[in-house]
């Protein structure tokens, strides 16, 4: 009897996955990115910046030069953020001090600044265990967390370790999550909080679903085998079923291949499969290492002495500058200023403020500074291609494509406005690109460059899979009910007195 209940549960899983897949097309799980924190921070004030980046970094006593340097606000004060070996250190630009232990007052200020509401009107609690919105392992290193909940539905989570907002949700965002990511990823707190069990459930459910879809297709192929003889009434006469079973078989013949490829393509995202899903829409650190070192490497901090941050802000007078990032392009130092709203400006150390770099200049830098001078081709892309893509069209365009002649057929994508490496691809990532993102999300250029064509195809695909799963649930439930009825009948017969 247990196997029958497992069958109902498995069919229910797939029905849930297909329906929530439609929600996944248009919403994501709530998260707070570094860009979100930046856009809600106070603008930099020139007068409060008193230390040079060299003096601020010297206060840390780190001999190794930083790999990334930014100037933004922290707790309402200007602060340098130095990244060295993946570890970020913060130094206030007004006093040269490092932030001390995070106080309750500091967390109150962070939460209040995020929502624009006083912390005194929020319900505040220190979390002693994960909840629905902090269940991912990514939050473990940020604990303990303090949750601020306002009557209007806004919820802010502040890390006691860093003093920064690490999660933010609204009532609408939470509702959307329950319609998409939570059921699709099985992100239900009691299960997801147990990472090992969550991995096992998702992996085995996907594997068993793929097996069931393959067996169903095999049965369908056998039924429609050319060697079989059929009545001349039409193709439906080939199905040796009646009622809901015939509908299930017909839907399976139409949507079974999609259900099989979708379940199989989802498996590589889970352990212990060795594929290791990497998002092709994010810059690959390994793939971009050579060109990053040669073209967009951070120069020594002394290169910024001629035009310090205060002078750079003078040249940006009148613009709300949220952050100054210290950057380099082919050895030439410049500041990348991020403004309120996300727009950017380039402030060269030797030169005037400009909206961005010329694409031809980026191309020349890539050609002239490639470490092996093995550039196969360069191009300026004004449309997404097979390896640089975004269905929501939020990633920057145009971009400079640099295709290398190395054995990996590496491709780099550089944003000419910011000189940032915004994408990279290597040939050995083909399985991730096509077997996972291609088959699972139908991320094909001829679809996502012509929306709503992609929406129509994917929604139709999802509804077909949902219909196949729904008929499976009903059929499996009927089997369970018949089994229960049979067991009840046998039990009744065994308790009936002899001769009654």
């Amino acid at each position: 009897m247990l196997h029958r209940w497992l069958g109902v549960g498995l069919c229910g899983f797939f029905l849930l996955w297909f329906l929530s897949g439609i929600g996944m097309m248009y919403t994501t799980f709530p998260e707070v990115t570094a860009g979100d924190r930046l856009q809600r921070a106070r603008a930099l004030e020139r007068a409060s910046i008193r230390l040079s980046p060299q003096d601020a970094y010297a206060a840390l006593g780190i001999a190794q030069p930083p790999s990334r340097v930014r100037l933004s606000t922290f707790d309402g004060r200007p602060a340098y953020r130095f990244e060295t070996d993946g570890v970020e250190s913060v130094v206030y630009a007004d006093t040269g001090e490092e932030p001390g232990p995070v106080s309750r007052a500091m967390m109150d200020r962070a939460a209040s600044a995020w929502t624009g509401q006083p912390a005194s009107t929020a319900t505040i609690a220190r979390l002693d265990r994960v909840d629905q919105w902090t269940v991912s392992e990514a939050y473990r290193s940020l604990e303990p967390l303090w949750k601020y909940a306002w009557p209007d539905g806004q919820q802010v989570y502040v890390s006691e370790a860093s003093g920064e907002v690490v999660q933010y949700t609204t009532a609408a965002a939470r509702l959307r999550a329950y319609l998409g990511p939570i059921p699709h990823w099985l992100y239900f707190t009691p299960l997801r909080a147990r990472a090992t069990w969550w991995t096992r459930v998702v992996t085995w459910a996907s594997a068993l679903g793929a097996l069931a879809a393959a067996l169903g297709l095999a049965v369908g192929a056998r039924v429609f085998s050319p060697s079989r003889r059929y009545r001349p009434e039409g193709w439906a006469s080939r199905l040796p079923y009646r009622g809901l079973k015939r509908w299930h078989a017909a839907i399976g013949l139409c949507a079974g291949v999609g259900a099989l490829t979708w379940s199989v393509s989802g498996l590589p995202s889970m352990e212990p499969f060795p594929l290791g899903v990497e998002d092709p829409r994010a810059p690959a650190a390994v793939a971009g290492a050579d060109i990053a070192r040669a073209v967009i490497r951070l120069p020594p901090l002394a290169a910024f002495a001629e035009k310090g941050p205060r002078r750079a802000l003078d040249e940006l007078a009148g613009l709300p500058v949220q952050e100054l990032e210290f950057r380099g392009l082919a050895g030439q130092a410049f500041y990348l200023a991020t403004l309120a709203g996300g727009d950017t400006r380039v402030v060269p150390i030797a030169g005037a403020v400009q909206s961005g770099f010329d694409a031809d200049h980026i191309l020349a830098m890539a050609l002239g500074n490639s470490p092996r001078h093995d550039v196969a081709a360069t191009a300026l892309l004004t449309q997404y291609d097979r390896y640089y893509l975004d269905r929501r069209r939020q990633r920057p365009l145009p971009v400079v494509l640099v295709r290398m002649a190395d054995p990996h057929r590496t491709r780099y994508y550089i944003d000419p406005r910011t000189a940032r490496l915004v994408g990279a691809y290597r040939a050995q990532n083909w399985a991730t690109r096509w077997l996972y993102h291609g088959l699972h999300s139908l991320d094909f250029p001829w679809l996502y460059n012509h929306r709503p064509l992609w929406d129509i195809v994917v929604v139709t695909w999802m509804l077909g899979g949902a219909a196949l799963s729904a008929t499976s649930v009903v059929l499996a439930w009927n089997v369970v009910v018949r089994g229960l009825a049979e067991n009840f009948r046998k039990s009744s017969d065994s308790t009936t007195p002899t001769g009654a």
Side-chain angles (χ1 to χ4, degrees), residues 13 66-67 120 160 202-203 245 260 262 290 303-304 312 314 325 337 340 405 423 429 434 437 442 460 479:
F13 268 152
S67 57
S120 59
E160 189 177 310
V202 176
T203 301
K245 287 186 178 180
L260 175 62
W262 185 75
D290 290 341
F304 297 88
D314 284 339
E325 183 173 0
N429 294 333
W434 298 112
H437 292 285
L442 296 190
T460 302
V479 172

Side-chain angles (χ1 to χ4, degrees), residues 1 4-5 13 88 105 138 156 163 179 183 204 218 243 255 257 277-278 306 368 400 417 427-428 437 471 484:
M1 194 63 183
R4 296 174 179 175
W5 284 105
F13 268 152
E88 184 178 83
V156 172
L179 297 177
W204 280 104
V257 173
V277 173
E278 297 177 2
E306 182 180 343
V400 171
R417 286 182 56 85
Q428 57 262 47
H437 292 285
T471 54
L484 291 173

Side-chain angles (χ1 to χ4, degrees), residues 318-341:
L319 297 176
V321 180
Q322 307 290 101
E323 179 183 80
L324 281 179
E325 183 173 0
F326 296 64
R327 303 292 305 279
L329 179 63
Q332 301 299 313
F334 69 93
Y335 296 99
L336 180 63
T338 302
L339 312 180

Side-chain angles (χ1 to χ4, degrees), residues 30-308:
E31 65 174 345
V32 169
T33 65
D36 294 330
R37 282 192 287 270
L38 178 61
Q39 287 306 311
R40 291 177 182 261
R42 290 177 53 182
L44 288 168
E45 296 180 0
R46 175 193 181 281
S48 58
I49 301 172
R50 299 185 177 89
L51 264 73
S52 69
Q54 300 98 304
D55 293 338
Y57 193 66
L60 293 173
I62 301 176
Q64 182 179 350
S67 57
R68 189 182 185 192
V69 181
R70 294 174 293 147
L71 174 61
S72 59
T73 57
F74 179 78
D75 193 25
R77 297 166 59 184
Y80 290 103
R81 297 173 183 265
F82 300 99
E83 186 174 315
T84 308
D85 289 334
V87 178
E88 184 178 83
S89 303
V90 179
V91 178
Y92 286 120
D94 51 1
T95 63
E97 300 173 335
E98 295 183 65
V102 176
S103 65
R104 171 68 181 276
M106 181 186 295
M107 292 188 291
D108 288 351
R109 290 193 296 269
S112 179
W114 192 276
T115 62
Q117 301 187 61
S120 59
T121 62
T123 300
I124 306 172
R126 188 178 189 268
L127 299 185
D128 55 1
R129 63 175 62 90
V130 299
D131 68 1
Q132 180 64 71
W133 313 108
T134 59
V135 72
S136 171
E137 288 88 350
Y139 294 96
R140 300 294 80 79
S141 62
L142 305 172
E143 293 176 339
L145 302 178
W146 287 75
K147 178 180 177 180
Y148 295 74
W150 277 269
D152 64 356
Q154 295 188 85
Q155 295 181 356
V156 172
Y157 296 75
V158 182
S159 169
E160 189 177 310
S162 67
E164 294 189 298
V165 173
V166 296
Q167 180 60 297
Y168 169 70
T169 71
T170 62
R174 293 192 292 273
L175 175 60
R176 291 193 298 268
Y178 276 111
L179 297 177
I182 291 176
H184 196 75
W185 295 335
L186 299 186
Y187 257 41
F188 302 106
T189 306
L191 176 62
R192 187 62 182 90
R194 296 166 175 81
T196 301
W197 279 103
W198 174 78
T199 299
R200 289 173 179 172
V201 168
V202 176
T203 301
W204 280 104
S206 300
L208 291 174
L211 178 61
L215 291 175
L217 287 172
V219 171
R222 181 177 180 275
V223 168
F224 275 81
S225 172
S227 62
R228 295 173 62 91
R229 293 183 178 180
Y230 302 102
R231 297 188 300 273
E233 287 83 353
W235 70 271
S237 66
R238 302 185 178 189
L239 298 175
Y241 310 110
R242 292 292 182 269
L244 188 61
K245 287 186 178 180
R246 172 169 286 195
W247 277 106
H248 177 74
I251 295 171
L253 290 171
C254 297
V257 173
L260 175 62
T261 58
W262 185 75
S263 56
V264 170
S265 61
L267 281 172
S269 65
M270 304 299 299
E271 296 178 357
F273 294 93
L275 180 56
V277 173
E278 297 177 2
D279 190 344
R281 290 161 286 190
V286 175
D290 290 341
I291 200 166
R293 285 193 293 266
V295 181
I296 54 179
R297 178 178 54 192
L298 176 68
L301 291 178
F304 297 88
E306 182 180 343
K307 182 185 290 186

